[in-house]
């Protein structure tokens, strides 16, 4: 692999950029691999990369029905943070933060991880209680998170409206300074390039149509639109389509796939320094390096694979944005799109072995999977390579729904009294 | 001379009305009917902006909403709106516009150094560098990149304008009012169908307003438009919306339109919304969005003075503006010739028609010859000269070898180009239809309809005036028939002229220049060149989505409407695969950028979310109470007196309740009436507690779980009669408890004979708590013996309060003697004011939610959602007493038996007392066994509630702690940044442990 | 904004008048205490999450308040059938075939 650097860029400038090589190959599938990963999103590619890099498992194929990075990886609002409540979650997401910090150098691909801070607003007494609980829990867990008064919040994010006269005034905010954003496409491409360089075959435009299991119940390989591919281990990382793929192996999942919308404004000069989230009034906003305000909207109430959603969902998000940042009201929406997010009953992911030998699943990231990409791939690679979970993902089993040992991030923010 | 490029006569502008406007501070003149773009061109101004990446000088390219270059900021009343297309901004007296993305000025922009250094900035360069040193990305590189990127400056002030919202239904929605759209609207309207016709422009007519060489029913096209619009206007079943863009096509034929109501007026009526959102459910939709012309991709195709051919013709015929005095027309198709002819007819020198085709149609050649226009057939433009305005074009002759031979140089001050036409399939694509490649037309056209829509005319690649009109009429008839079943005999108009043209080209043109040094732009706004697209392919990008994202082609504010087809062709060539294999990006809503205010609509300020108030609200306001938001409710938080802070007010309120009496508004608690012979059985199944043996007139605390086994709600339930219960829920849980009950009742147990009704809003509830509570209510209550024997704790009676029927509960959430009086809501104000007055006689107090929280915490009563968080079981909460042991089933019973819910080490509800009584713990603080736990130590639990207790004159706290029930008296720690706080585990009841005060 | 038909009211109304309550025909076991942990988790959480024809529950929350079922294609969001609670699940293959015509 030709390393990227400023010097290399300059050198290539003088040959009119005619000599850049491919970032990844487009191979035809071999008949057999040690591991087949289903789904070439960020998580799947990262899994393949770490399998090859850290576990020496290089005979790996990543099978993708469309184009790599084309699902939720390329559709999300790119927020990175780790200030989750439960120790299990905080450990998982903080593991990812650690990897984010060196990811551009690790991959030799600028993923533009920008630790500009993620601020989560509190609008009610209950919000304040929940935020404080997070901050205390995070401090003990070694996760950076701090409380800001409304005035301090405005100092950190000058466009924020902290007037007491709005419907839900800002009562303060939890700030994670190491949180921020990253360039979503670059994450997929960086992992693809890295994995490809280590020998991983990324096979795009190849749909998985079946999972073949042997007499003993263990997996034998995948049926695809390009023929049968033999593999003793299969990792399913198919996000919104996980239920469909797992169904091929006869495994029913505790998942529902909802449409999630996001949108961007027309690009403007720098106007917004950080990431602001409000779970109470449903507003998620940052500004991309290109200048677009990047805004996350909510999910529709029904499951759907349409990659579109209702206008009332985006209306509801934009009215919240306009209340918190009233001078953005004259800005204009440039593009609105939808993704398909797979949601578990406790809003925490599943990174787990399955009842089927040789079959592993990484799913259920809901609306927040992007931030976990490096960490998720890292521990999932471990799980596949060793056939046992890394201690970090050990709690994130499918079996927790049977036993009741949930990791309930949603309930922790439950509506009170 | 003012407006040196204005024609002598003609066009649709009102020459009698002269308007003054400024651009970058320079004053200029235009006319009513001009756009900012046409007025600028009339003044000879082509340079209007700088490009995104290289800061190259850019001019007006189009005459429509697809304009990529001429983006300006417009000021009005101190508010600035960035990124408006000059081609869409209607001129008004005093309009103030500024150019964007340049510093210090449009003429001299330091950012233009990027253009000189562009060899270092190919597509995706930023992925390959800025990685060293590690800390420099967000501290150094990124700020520089961010400052350079972005187009206009964001608005500085909160927006003072307001925005409207309307819902509408119609039989046939027609989007676009060119020949096809107008004909469709006429035909559909004729059948009596309810028709809504919208067009993004100020005037209806679309391309007909530009067409000067045709007739319809013997009239000039613009006159026919005027008659057609007048006819439609006169019909009751037709709604006409100009300046209105159909921007979003949603599921089930739900279309969103934005109407720009006042933006074109010099002094808008402040009562009118600036813009208005229309949400239309249409039975049928006719998409008459037309088509747009494609730029030709040749080196330096981006200089100011280079426009699309039809745009040049529009400026001439519609706005009376000549794009130059000496014009070169470069084309690969017939239609652009007409632009050359029209210009020549207005006395503009046409320096040459540079026609890519070797043998253009003889008919065109002869017209050109008659006008003395030089034609260079088999030629292309291979470059242009002139930095801020084109000065000349370089010509190249296409050789049979595929090579290009130099064809000399032609001086000019404007160049019109046409690479052919691209149907506008955005709305069709949004409707989730899949476009199909039409090789004959060389275009993607709409395929099968997925929703109830049909594309007509140029939007489906059908050209020629007569054919378009016929298509429109037929579609209008069909749509109306499909929507209403009705039809009528429609007379079609007939047209002459406006014939369809042949020709067109896709992708980059060959040239004889140094390929590594020249730039041929594919996406103007994002500065994407043909080389960039090829580089992306060279680097392994195979899908058009990758190419788009890597180069950013098609991601500018026109969403690639101008660039996509050229980019596809270039990619297909580089990949050596047919274009149809490369894929196609998806058009997303909105069709054109749409103001956020339109989406937010009226949901701002008090209308952001409904405010729910209790009957005491006004009294509380008058008496200085402070509110907190609990869901949509405004609940009184505390009542500061004489400048008290919250702590002092709450301490006083708490003390007063325990000493004498307090009055609290409990109206927000959810209330559900459960009625019917199977009521008790139903509650038996819903709640953990047993209900069948509860006697009428008695109450019981009820605990509600979900089927997973976790606590979700609680409340007191009173049995009014054998078949009637009054259920109360938490404030926040009211809607979900009701929905859950309905769910089980309707779908799991339809056999039960029970009706449930939400009565939360039907009752106003006053809680009177404290030793003197009985004395306070006694004067007003009739029909109940209030003595402790006759009406003990946990009883309910129907009585009257001041003669008004009420439900009187004897219950307590404070540990004191307490009553809750439910009266019909309309009497709530009277009840509150009566009681507020009465408690004064007993030195009582009104109190808010904070005091309520303290008093209940002193008694160890849980608050669901604060002390529980969706992971707590009744056993965890120490409430096994609330579980009916002999019950066959209840919601959550089976869930409670699951392995983890019966495991050891569960977090259990306990009390905590700090060793130092003055230290109050923070809610949410973590609990550990070690005094100074290492980072990463799992917490034993956390503090759920913590207060200063006036009754105990010390701090108290409630918490959940692992195996907490077994740790009574043990010391644990609450590690804080300032040091660890030692605490003792206790029971949860801190005050009146025997519960004597409640039974007096 | 979907258009939803309430089979009790006999009218089509915008989606915001309704509440979608997840997959239909998942019956709560009649005797929970005799239900295994595996069957209980199936009832609680396991869902088909079908891509294509799917049966779901809706409630006319701002109308008659009744629950009913709908068959919807989760790829196109097109409704294929609405029917009252208690009525048997229609033949989904048949419905899909009809819709494909």
């Amino acid at each position: 692999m030709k390393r990227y650097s400023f010097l290399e860029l300059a050198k290539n400038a003088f040959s009119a950029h005619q000599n850049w090589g491919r970032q990844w190959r487009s191979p035809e599938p071999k008949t057999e691999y040690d591991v087949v990963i289903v789904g070439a999103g960020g998580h799947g590619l990262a899994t393949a990369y770490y399998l090859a890099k850290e576990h020496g498992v290089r005979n790996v194929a990543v099978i993708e029905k469309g184009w790599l990075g084309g699902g939720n990886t390329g559709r999300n609002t790119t927020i990175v943070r780790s200030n989750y409540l439960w120790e299990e979650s905080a450990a998982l997401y903080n593991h990812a933060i650690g990897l984010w910090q060196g990811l551009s150098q690790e991959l030799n691909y600028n993923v533009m991880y920008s630790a500009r801070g993620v601020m989560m607003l509190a609008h009610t007494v209950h919000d304040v209680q929940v935020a404080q609980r997070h901050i205390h829990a995070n401090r003990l867990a070694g996760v950076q998170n701090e409380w800001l008064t409304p005035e301090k919040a405005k100092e950190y994010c000058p466009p924020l409206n902290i007037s007491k006269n709005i419907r839900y005034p800002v009562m303060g905010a939890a700030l994670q300074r190491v949180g921020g954003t990253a360039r979503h496409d670059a994450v997929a491409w960086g992992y693809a390039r890295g994995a490809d360089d280590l020998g991983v075959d990324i096979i795009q435009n190849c749909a998985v149509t079946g999972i073949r299991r042997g007499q003993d119940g263990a997996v034998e390989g995948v049926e695809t639109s390009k023929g049968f591919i033999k593999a003793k281990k299969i990792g399913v990382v198919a996000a919104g389509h996980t239920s469909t793929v797992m169904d091929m192996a006869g495994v029913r999942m505790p998942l529902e796939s909802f449409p999630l919308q996001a949108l961007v404004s027309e690009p403007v000069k720098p106007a917004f320094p950080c990431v602001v989230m409000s779970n109470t009034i449903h507003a998620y906003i940052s500004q991309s390096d290109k200048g677009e305000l990047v805004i996350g909207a909510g999910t529709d109430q029904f499951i759907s694979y349409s990659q579109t959603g209702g206008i009332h969902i985006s209306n509801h998000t934009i009215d919240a944005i306009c209340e918190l940042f009233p001078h953005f009201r004259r800005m204009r929406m440039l593009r609105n799109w939808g993704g398909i997010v797979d949601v578990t009953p406790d809003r925490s992911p599943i990174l787990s072995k399955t009842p089927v030998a040789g079959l592993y699943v990484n799913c259920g990231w809901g609306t927040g999977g992007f931030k976990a990409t490096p960490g998720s791939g890292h521990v999932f690679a471990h799980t596949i390579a060793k056939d046992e979970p890394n201690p970090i993902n050990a709690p994130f089993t499918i079996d927790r729904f049977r036993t009741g040992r949930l990791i309930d991030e949603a309930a922790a923010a439950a509506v009170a009294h | 001379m003012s407006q040196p490029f204005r024609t002598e006569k003609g066009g649709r502008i009102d020459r009698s009305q002269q308007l003054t406007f400024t651009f970058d501070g320079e004053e200029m003149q235009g006319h009513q009917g001009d756009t900012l773009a046409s007025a600028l061109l009339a003044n000879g101004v082509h340079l209007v902006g700088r490009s995104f990446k290289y800061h190259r000088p850019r001019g007006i390219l189009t005459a429509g909403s697809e304009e990529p270059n001429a983006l300006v900021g417009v000021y009005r009343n101190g508010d600035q709106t960035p990124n408006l297309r000059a081609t869409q901004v209607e001129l008004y007296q005093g309009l103030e516009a500024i150019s964007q993305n340049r510093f210090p000025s449009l003429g001299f922009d330091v950012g233009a150094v990027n253009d000189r250094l562009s060899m270092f900035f190919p597509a995706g360069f930023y992925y390959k560098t800025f990685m060293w040193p590690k800390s420099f990305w967000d501290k150094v590189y990124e700020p520089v990149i961010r400052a350079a990127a972005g187009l206009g400056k964001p608005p500085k002030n909160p927006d003072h304008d307001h925005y409207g919202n309307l819902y509408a239904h119609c039989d046939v929605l027609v989007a676009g009012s060119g020949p096809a759209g107008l004909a469709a609207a006429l035909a559909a309207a004729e059948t009596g169908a309810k028709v809504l016709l919208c067009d993004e422009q100020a005037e209806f007519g679309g391309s007909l307003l530009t067409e000067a060489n045709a007739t319809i029913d013997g009239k000039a096209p613009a006159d026919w438009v005027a008659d057609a619009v007048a006819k439609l206007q006169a019909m009751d079943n037709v709604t006409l919306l100009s300046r209105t863009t159909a921007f979003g096509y949603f599921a089930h034929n739900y279309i969103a339109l934005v109407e720009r109501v006042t933006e074109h007026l010099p002094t808008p009526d402040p009562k009118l919304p600036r813009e208005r959102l229309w949400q239309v459910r249409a039975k049928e939709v006719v998409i008459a969005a037309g088509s747009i012309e494609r730029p030709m991709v040749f080196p330096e195709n981006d200089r100011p003075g280079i426009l699309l051919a039809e745009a040049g013709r529009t400026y001439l015929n519609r706005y009376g503006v000549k794009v130059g005095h000496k014009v070169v027309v470069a084309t690969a198709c017939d239609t652009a010739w007409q632009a050359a002819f029209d210009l020549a007819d207005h006395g503009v020198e046409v320096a040459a028609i540079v026609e890519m085709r070797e043998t253009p149609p003889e008919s065109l050649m002869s017209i050109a010859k008659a006008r003395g226009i030089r034609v260079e057939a088999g030629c292309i433009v291979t470059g242009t000269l002139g930095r801020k305005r084109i000065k000349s074009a370089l010509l190249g002759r296409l050789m049979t070898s595929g090579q290009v031979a130099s064809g000399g140089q032609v001086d000019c001050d404007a160049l019109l180009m046409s690479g052919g036409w691209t149907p506008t399939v955005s709305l069709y694509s949004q409707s989730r239809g899949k476009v199909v490649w039409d090789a004959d037309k060389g275009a993607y056209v709409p395929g099968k309809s997925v929703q109830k829509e049909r594309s007509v005319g140029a939007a489906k690649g059908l050209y020629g005036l007569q054919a378009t009109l016929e298509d429109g009429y037929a579609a209008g008839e069909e749509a109306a028939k499909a929507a209403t079943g009705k039809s009528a005999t429609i007379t079609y108009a007939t047209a002459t002229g406006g014939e369809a043209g042949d020709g067109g080209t896709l992708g980059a043109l060959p040239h004889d220049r140094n390929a590594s040094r020249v730039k041929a732009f594919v996406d103007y706004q994002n500065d994407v060149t043909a080389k960039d697209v090829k580089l992306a392919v060279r680097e392994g990008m195979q899908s058009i989505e990758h190419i788009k994202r890597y180069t950013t082609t098609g991601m500018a504010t026109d969403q690639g409407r101008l660039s996509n087809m050229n980019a596809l062709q270039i990619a297909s060539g580089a990949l050596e695969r047919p274009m149809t294999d490369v894929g196609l990006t998806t058009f997303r809503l909105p069709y054109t950028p749409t103001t956020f205010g339109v989406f937010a609509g009226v949901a701002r300020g008090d209308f952001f979310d409904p405010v729910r108030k209790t009957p005491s609200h006004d009294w509380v306001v008058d008496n200085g109470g402070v509110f907190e938001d609990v869901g949509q409710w405004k609940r009184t938080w505390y009542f500061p007196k004489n400048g008290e802070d919250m702590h002092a007010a709450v301490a006083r309120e708490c003390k007063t309740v325990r000493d004498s009496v307090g009055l609290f508004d409990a109206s927000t608690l959810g209330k559900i009436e459960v009625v019917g012979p199977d009521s008790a059985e139903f509650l038996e199944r819903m709640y953990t507690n047993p209900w069948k043996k509860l006697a009428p007139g008695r109450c019981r605390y009820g605990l509600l779980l979900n089927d997973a086994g976790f606590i979700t709600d609680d409340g007191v339930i009173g049995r009014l009669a054998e078949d009637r219960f009054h259920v109360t829920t938490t404030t926040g849980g009211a809607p979900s408890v009701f929905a859950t009950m309905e769910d089980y009742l309707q779908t799991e147990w339809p056999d039960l004979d029970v009706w449930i009704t939400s009565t939360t809003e039907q009752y106003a509830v006053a809680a009177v708590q404290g030793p003197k509570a009985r004395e306070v209510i006694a004067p007003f209550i009739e029909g109940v013996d209030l003595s402790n024997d006759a009406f003990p704790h946990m009883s309910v009676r129907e009585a009257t309060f001041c003669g008004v029927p009420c439900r009187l509960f004897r219950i307590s959430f404070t540990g004191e003697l307490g009553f809750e009086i439910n009266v019909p809501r309309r009497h709530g104000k009277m009840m509150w004011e009566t009681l507020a007055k009465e408690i004064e006689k007993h030195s009582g107090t009104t109190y808010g939610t904070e005091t309520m929280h303290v008093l209940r915490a002193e008694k160890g009563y849980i608050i669901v959602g604060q002390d529980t968080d969706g992971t707590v079981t009744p056993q965890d909460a120490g409430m096994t007493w609330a579980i009916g042991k002999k019950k066959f089933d209840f919601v959550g019973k089976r869930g409670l038996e699951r392995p983890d819910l019966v495991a050891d080490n569960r977090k259990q509800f306990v009390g905590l007392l700090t060793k130092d009584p003055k230290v109050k713990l923070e809610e949410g603080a973590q609990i550990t066994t070690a005094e100074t736990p290492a980072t990463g130590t799992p917490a034993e639990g956390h503090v759920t509630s913590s207060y200063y207790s006036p009754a105990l004159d010390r701090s108290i706290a409630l918490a959940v702690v692992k195996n907490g029930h077994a740790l009574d008296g043990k010391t644990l720690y609450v590690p804080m940044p300032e040091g660890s706080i030692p605490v003792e585990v206790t029971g949860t009841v801190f005050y009146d442990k025997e519960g004597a005060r409640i039974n007096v | 904004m979907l258009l939803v038909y309430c089979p009790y009211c006999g009218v089509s109304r915008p989606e915001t008048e309704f509440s979608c309550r997840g997959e239909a025909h998942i019956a709560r076991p009649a005797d929970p205490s005799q239900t295994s942990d595996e069957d209980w988790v199936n009832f609680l959480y396991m869902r088909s999450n079908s891509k294509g024809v799917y049966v779901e529950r809706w409630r006319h929350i701002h109308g008659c308040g009744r629950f009913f079922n709908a068959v919807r294609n989760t790829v196109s969001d097109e409704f294929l059938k609405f029917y009252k609670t208690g009525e048997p699940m229609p033949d989904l293959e048949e419905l899909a075939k009809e819709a494909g015509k």
Side-chain angles (χ1 to χ4, degrees), chain A residues 38-381:
Chain A
V38 181
H43 291 243
L45 292 166
T47 304
Y49 173 80
Y50 292 115
L51 272 172
K53 177 87 191 299
E54 303 215 340
H55 303 281
V57 184
R58 298 192 172 194
N59 187 23
V60 175
V62 187
I63 315 272
E64 169 57 49
K65 138 180 93 121
W67 36 283
L68 70 88
N72 294 341
T73 301
R75 291 164 195 274
N76 73 89
T77 53
T78 78
I79 297 173
V80 174
R81 65 180 180 92
S82 68
N83 49 354
Y84 281 73
L85 177 66
W86 301 105
E87 288 138 7
E88 295 90 336
S89 316
L92 178 60
Y93 290 99
N94 226 32
H95 182 55
I97 290 267
L99 293 167
W100 276 118
Q101 287 171 333
L103 194 59
S104 294
Q105 290 73 25
E106 161 84 25
L107 297 176
N108 179 234
Y109 206 96
N110 189 354
V111 300
M112 304 182 192
Y113 167 61
S114 168
R116 55 181 78 170
V118 174
M119 212 163 80
M120 300 173 78
L121 303 180
H123 301 272
T124 65
V125 173
H126 179 65
D127 285 354
V128 175
Q129 288 168 339
V130 171
Q132 296 281 18
R133 183 177 169 196
H134 278 71
I135 289 167
H136 287 300
N138 288 162
R139 191 177 62 248
L140 186 61
V143 174
Q144 197 270 321
N145 197 9
E146 67 195 88
W147 178 251
L148 300 184
T149 62
E151 293 70 28
K152 287 280 173 202
K154 188 168 176 66
E155 228 168 76
Y156 198 79
C157 181
L160 182 64
N161 180 7
I162 56 166
S163 157
K164 296 271 178 279
N165 298 321
I166 64 172
R167 179 69 184 83
Y168 295 109
V170 174
M171 295 180 74
L175 171 68
Q176 187 175 38
R177 291 177 194 268
V178 295
T181 58
R183 170 90 190 118
H184 53 10
D185 289 330
V187 176
W189 298 343
Y191 274 119
R193 174 167 166 264
D196 178 88
D197 183 54
L198 294 168
V200 171
D201 283 354
I202 302 165
I203 299 152
Q204 303 180 73
N205 292 309
C206 178
V208 170
T209 53
I211 293 177
R212 200 184 284 177
R213 293 172 61 180
Q215 296 287 329
D216 58 352
V219 299
E220 290 185 334
V222 289
E223 314 274 0
T224 77
S225 54
K226 295 189 174 179
F228 178 70
I229 301 172
K230 226 170 135 184
K232 289 220 167 54
K233 289 182 175 180
I234 299 170
V236 176
V237 199
H241 303 286
T242 302
S243 297
T244 311
V245 177
M246 293 298 282
D247 192 44
M248 296 171 190
V251 179
R252 211 166 145 91
M253 296 296 291
L255 290 174
E256 291 187 292
S257 295
F258 294 98
L260 176 71
Q261 294 182 62
L263 57 105
V264 293
S265 75
E266 292 182 304
V268 287
K269 293 293 176 191
F272 205 79
C274 58
V275 181
V276 170
M277 308 174 57
S278 166
N279 288 328
T280 300
I281 63 173
H282 306 295
Y284 312 90
I285 179 170
S286 64
Q287 187 176 18
S288 73
D289 288 339
K290 211 183 154 201
E292 297 157 329
L293 296 176
V294 181
I295 295 170
T299 52
D300 281 288
Q301 57 171 331
F302 46 84
I303 74 160
S304 176
Y305 294 86
S306 68
Q307 295 197 333
T308 60
I311 189 175
H312 54 296
I313 305 290
S314 20
N315 288 350
H316 186 45
T317 291
I318 296 171
D319 61 21
I321 295 290
C322 289
E323 282 297 281
L324 291 174
F325 311 101
H327 56 292
F328 289 162
R329 200 177 289 271
R330 285 177 100 82
M331 298 271 299
R332 300 193 296 176
M333 183 202 283
L334 172 59
R335 212 164 52 241
N336 170 213
W337 65 92
I340 308 164
V341 298
D342 46 322
V343 176
T344 63
D346 65 359
R347 304 296 189 274
S348 287
I350 297 168
L351 278 152
S352 174
K353 296 171 69 172
T354 70
V356 177
L359 184 66
Y360 308 83
V361 68
N362 176 347
C363 65
W365 293 93
T367 59
F370 177 73
K371 63 175 76 70
T373 306
S376 156
H378 194 251
V379 298
F380 195 51

Side-chain angles (χ1 to χ4, degrees), chain B residues 907-923:
Chain B
K907 289 178 183 165
Q908 294 168 333
F909 191 53
V910 295
L912 292 182
L913 288 174
T914 50
K915 302 276 176 166
D916 178 349
K918 289 199 224 42
V919 174
K920 185 172 86 93
L921 297 171
E922 282 191 25
E923 285 172 355

Side-chain angles (χ1 to χ4, degrees), chain B residues 338-530:
Chain B
Q338 195 58 54
F341 301 156
D342 287 2
L343 283 169
D345 292 350
H346 276 85
V348 174
E349 184 187 341
V350 178
I353 295 175
V354 183
E355 168 61 77
M356 191 176 171
R357 291 172 293 179
E358 190 64 43
T359 48
E362 200 45 52
S363 54
L364 295 174
M365 288 292 281
S366 62
I367 303 174
K369 197 173 172 193
R371 283 169 171 76
I373 299 173
R374 171 183 165 196
V375 176
E376 296 288 347
C379 274
I380 51 172
V381 175
T382 57
T384 61
L385 303 175
R387 233 175 77 69
K388 293 179 198 167
R389 174 85 182 255
I390 184 171
K391 285 190 185 129
S392 54
L394 307 176
L395 304 193
R397 189 162 299 283
L398 292 164
M399 315 286 280
T400 41
S401 63
Q403 303 289 97
V404 178
S406 173
Q409 185 170 335
V410 185
D411 290 344
C412 60
D413 64 354
L415 185 150
L416 298 182
M417 61 177 167
S418 177
W421 295 84
T422 304
T424 302
V425 295
S426 305
L427 271 187
Y428 169 76
S429 190
Q430 285 183 27
S431 80
R432 315 201 58 225
K434 295 266 177 280
V435 293
V436 292
W437 177 248
D438 184 326
D440 289 343
K441 296 189 173 108
Y444 277 102
V445 296
K448 216 174 113 194
S449 288
V450 174
Q451 297 205 40
K452 289 175 177 163
E453 56 74 40
R454 62 208 75 212
S455 293
V456 292
K460 68 173 187 198
L462 179 74
Y463 301 103
L465 187 51
Q466 180 63 34
T468 305
L469 282 169
E470 280 172 19
D471 192 42
Y473 280 115
E477 281 186 278
E478 281 167 27
K481 182 91 193 286
T484 65
K486 283 186 252 172
S487 48
T489 314
I490 315 287
T491 317
Y492 288 16
T494 52
T496 64
E499 287 90 0
D502 281 334
T505 183
L506 286 169
L509 303 182
H511 58 76
D512 56 347
R513 311 274 304 280
N514 179 347
S516 65
R517 300 195 67 96
V518 299
K519 295 192 191 81
F521 288 91
V522 177
D523 188 310
Y524 284 79
Q525 194 181 97
N526 276 357
D527 275 340
V528 181
T529 64

Side-chain angles (χ1 to χ4, degrees), chain A residues 4-6 9 13 16-18 23 26 67-68 74-75 87 101 104-105 109-110 112-116 125-126 129 133 136 139-140 142 167-168 183 185 189 204 266-272 287 289-290 306 309 311 315 318-319 323 326-334 336 401-403 405 411 417, chain B residues 52 81 83 85 101 119 122 126-129 131 134 137-138 142 146-152 155 157 159 161 279 432 516 526 538-539 545-546 549-550 557 559 588-590 593-597 599 603-605 608-611 628-629 632 637 731 865 869 898 900 922-924 935-936 939 942 975:
Chain A
Y4 291 158
S5 66
F6 184 75
L9 191 66
H17 302 287
Q18 296 296 311
Q23 300 196 1
S26 292
W67 36 283
L68 70 88
R75 291 164 195 274
E87 288 138 7
Q101 287 171 333
S104 294
Q105 290 73 25
Y109 206 96
N110 189 354
M112 304 182 192
Y113 167 61
S114 168
R116 55 181 78 170
V125 173
H126 179 65
Q129 288 168 339
R133 183 177 169 196
H136 287 300
R139 191 177 62 248
L140 186 61
R167 179 69 184 83
Y168 295 109
R183 170 90 190 118
D185 289 330
W189 298 343
Q204 303 180 73
E266 292 182 304
V268 287
K269 293 293 176 191
F272 205 79
Q287 187 176 18
D289 288 339
K290 211 183 154 201
S306 68
I311 189 175
N315 288 350
I318 296 171
D319 61 21
E323 282 297 281
H327 56 292
F328 289 162
R329 200 177 289 271
R330 285 177 100 82
M331 298 271 299
R332 300 193 296 176
M333 183 202 283
L334 172 59
N336 170 213
F401 298 100
R402 181 186 65 85
T403 64
R405 191 168 189 77
H417 42 95
Chain B
F52 194 84
T81 312
N83 301 342
R85 290 149 177 72
N101 202 32
M119 63 190 293
Y126 29 72
Y127 299 126
K128 297 182 175 130
T129 181
M131 288 179 278
K134 199 167 137 181
W137 170 250
D138 46 1
E142 190 182 42
R146 291 186 78 181
L151 293 166
N157 304 315
D159 188 4
D161 284 313
Q279 301 187 62
R432 315 201 58 225
S516 65
N526 276 357
R538 198 174 306 129
E539 294 200 66
E545 281 286 355
H546 283 152
R549 286 157 179 264
Y550 195 64
T557 60
Q559 275 204 47
R588 299 286 178 185
L589 73 97
T594 305
T595 310
F596 280 172
F599 294 93
R604 66 199 286 183
F608 176 72
D609 204 23
V611 177
E628 68 161 323
D629 287 304
Q632 292 172 331
W637 199 1
T731 298
D869 62 7
R898 296 188 298 150
D900 194 61
E922 282 191 25
E923 285 172 355
T935 296
H942 76 281

